[in-house]
């Protein structure tokens, strides 16, 4: 099939490359010329495992191309996929301006009857009907087209794997023709497909993200109780997750959810509910819990040191999760801001996200970036673990314990088991578990069995 993808961000690029990989002829379009120039050279503007290799292969085999021209992208496409950003407006609602511009441009350049225009961007219920109007109003001649909703569920950091091994593909369509074309497009992936109305497909996306965010805030609240009641959140989450009705995923307590989607989509859903005069109190609480969770470690550091003025903090992990360079809504942004506010200075390290964070916090007397985790730690009074990168989970704790300052470890991702920490003699604060003071003490924990995954 001939497919065009509008927007070459995390979703558009991965979708385009994977659709080319299964044999389609794919044109990816973006208004950002710099991105398109890079992509034409086979370089990915985002850090996503495996993307460059798959891109290179499909460029070489002439199934994939990149352009800034709407006429090139629209003229022969059977399917056009909209994957532009839908960021938050100041009131939390979804900003549909990029989508409107893209839809209008499609309308202006559509010349082939029967094209299906698919919204993959996350959009409020009712938006596909607007997309239809925007296109209709921009047509230069009468053309038959259809719209469809096809929300995306991939995660950054495992986007290619998630595309090939998704739990489901949701297709909201208006006719049998639309359903037929999209089912055919996705048939090589052999993934269960759910066909719904446009509105239900749009709602499935928000409801899924809101539910996952709720699970995270719920387990974080339980962690906050565990800290005060001498229970261990890792054991508690494991025990809960063994109940198949609950399931083990998204029960990892920590410093809350970040990223470009959970914060944006939970706020948007509260706003969508507000627009129809329904107060979504549960989701409002989920959002509030997450905001306070993001700076939980600062409270622990203040309790420990009294004052943070003049203290040196090593920040390990800047990305909102491992295996991505994305720092959008990362807890690291709030933690750094608050540490600087309290008069601390920062040495920050991340395997890939430093260039993105430097745009927000350029290097200065207060904040320095280092090329290894150990460099960041060398002179620190305290260490904040904010992203559970594999290399951070593998830090050599005895080496850290031997440093002159013997830094205090504040672990926002519960990367270490308590026995390992206890052996190292470090003072250790984590989320929802007992504090280890470096003195000889027996941590209250059990030996984990196999199979507990997040
Ligand atoms: N990032 C993720 O993991 C996921 C994102 N989504 C949703 O997918 C959508 C896209 O998200 P991302 O890929 O993260 O966004 P992004 O910000 O990484 O990329 C969006 C791209 O669209 C381009 N663009 C903007 N206006 C355009 C126009 N008029 N014509 C052509 N290109 C245009 C931008 O230059 C940019 O390259 C959002 O609605 C998001 O909520 C859904 C699932 C996963
Ligand atoms: O709509 C989207 O953009 C995407 O949002 C999330 O994907 P993503 O944001 O890439 O990453 P997740 O792995 O879901 O993690 C989100 C945040 O939650 C945190 N998290 C996740 C799981 C957990 O148990 N605990 C926890 O704190 C992570 O550290 C991270 O900050 C969803 O998982 C995807 O299904 C969805 O497509």
């Amino acid at each position: 099939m001939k497919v065009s993808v509008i927007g070459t961000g995390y979703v558009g690029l991965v979708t385009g490359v994977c659709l080319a990989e299964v044999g389609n002829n794919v044109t990816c379009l973006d208004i950002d010329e710099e991105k398109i120039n890079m992509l034409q050279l086979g370089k990915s503007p985002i850090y996503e495992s495996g993307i460059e290799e798959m891109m290179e292969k499909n460029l070489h085999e002439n199934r994939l191309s990149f352009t800034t021209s709407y006429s090139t992208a629209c003229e022969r496409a059977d399917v056009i996929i909209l994957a532009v950003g839908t960021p938050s407006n100041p009131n939390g609602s979804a900003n549909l301006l990029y989508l409107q511009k893209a839809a209008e441009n499609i309308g202006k350049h559509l010349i082939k009857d029967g094209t299906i225009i698919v919204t993959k961007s996350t959009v409020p219920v009712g938006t596909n009907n607007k997309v239809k109007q925007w296109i209709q109003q921009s047509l230069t001649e009468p053309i038959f087209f259809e719209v469809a909703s096809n929300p995306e569920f991939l995660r950054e950091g495992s986007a290619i794997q998630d595309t090939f091994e998704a739990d489901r593909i949701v297709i909201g369509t208006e006719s049998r023709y639309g359903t037929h074309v999209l089912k055919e497009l996705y048939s090589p992936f052999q993934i269960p497909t759910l066909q719904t109305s446009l509105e239900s497909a749009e709602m499935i996306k928000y409801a899924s993200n809101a539910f996952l965010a709720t699970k995270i805030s719920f387990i974080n609240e339980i962690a906050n109780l565990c800290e005060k009641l001498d229970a261990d959140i890792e054991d508690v989450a494991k025990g809960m997750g063994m109940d198949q009705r609950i399931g083990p995923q998204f029960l990892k307590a920590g410093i809350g959810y970040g990223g470009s989607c959970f914060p944006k989509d939970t706020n948007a859903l509260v706003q969508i509910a507000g627009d129809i005069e329904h107060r979504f109190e549960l989701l409002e609480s989920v959002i509030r819990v997450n905001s306070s969770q993001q700076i939980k470690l600062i409270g622990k550091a203040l309790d420990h040191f009294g004052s943070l003025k003049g203290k040196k903090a090593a920040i390990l992990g800047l990305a909102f999760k491992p295996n991505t360079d994305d720092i959008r809504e990362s807890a690291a942004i709030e933690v750094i801001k608050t540490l600087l506010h309290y008069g601390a200075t920062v040495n920050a390290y991340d395997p890939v996200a430093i260039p993105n964070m430097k745009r927000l916090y350029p290097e200065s007397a207060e904040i320095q970036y280092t090329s290894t985790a150990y460099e960041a730690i060398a002179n620190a009074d305290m260490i904040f673990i904010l992203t559970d990168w594999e290399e951070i989970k593998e830090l050599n704790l005895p080496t850290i314990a031997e440093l002159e300052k013997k830094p205090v470890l504040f672990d926002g991702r519960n990367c270490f088991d308590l026995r390992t920490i206890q052996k190292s003699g470090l003072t250790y604060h984590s989320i929802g578990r007992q504090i280890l003071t470096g003195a000889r003490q027996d941590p209250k924990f059990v030996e984990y069995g196999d199979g507990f995954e997040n």
Side-chain angles (χ1 to χ4, degrees), residues 6-12 29-32 35 70 83-86 98 101-102 120-122 152-156 205 260-261 264-265 328:
I6 313 296
T8 59
Y10 288 87
V11 168
L29 174 144
D30 206 287
I31 43 168
D32 186 334
K35 257 188 197 178
Y70 267 92
V84 300
T86 48
Y98 300 103
K101 288 265 171 285
K120 197 171 255 307
S121 304
T122 303
E152 180 53 62
F153 301 100
L154 64 76
R155 290 162 301 176
E156 288 177 26
K205 176 62 195 177
S260 66
C261 289
K264 162 175 87 67
D265 295 345
R328 289 180 283 184

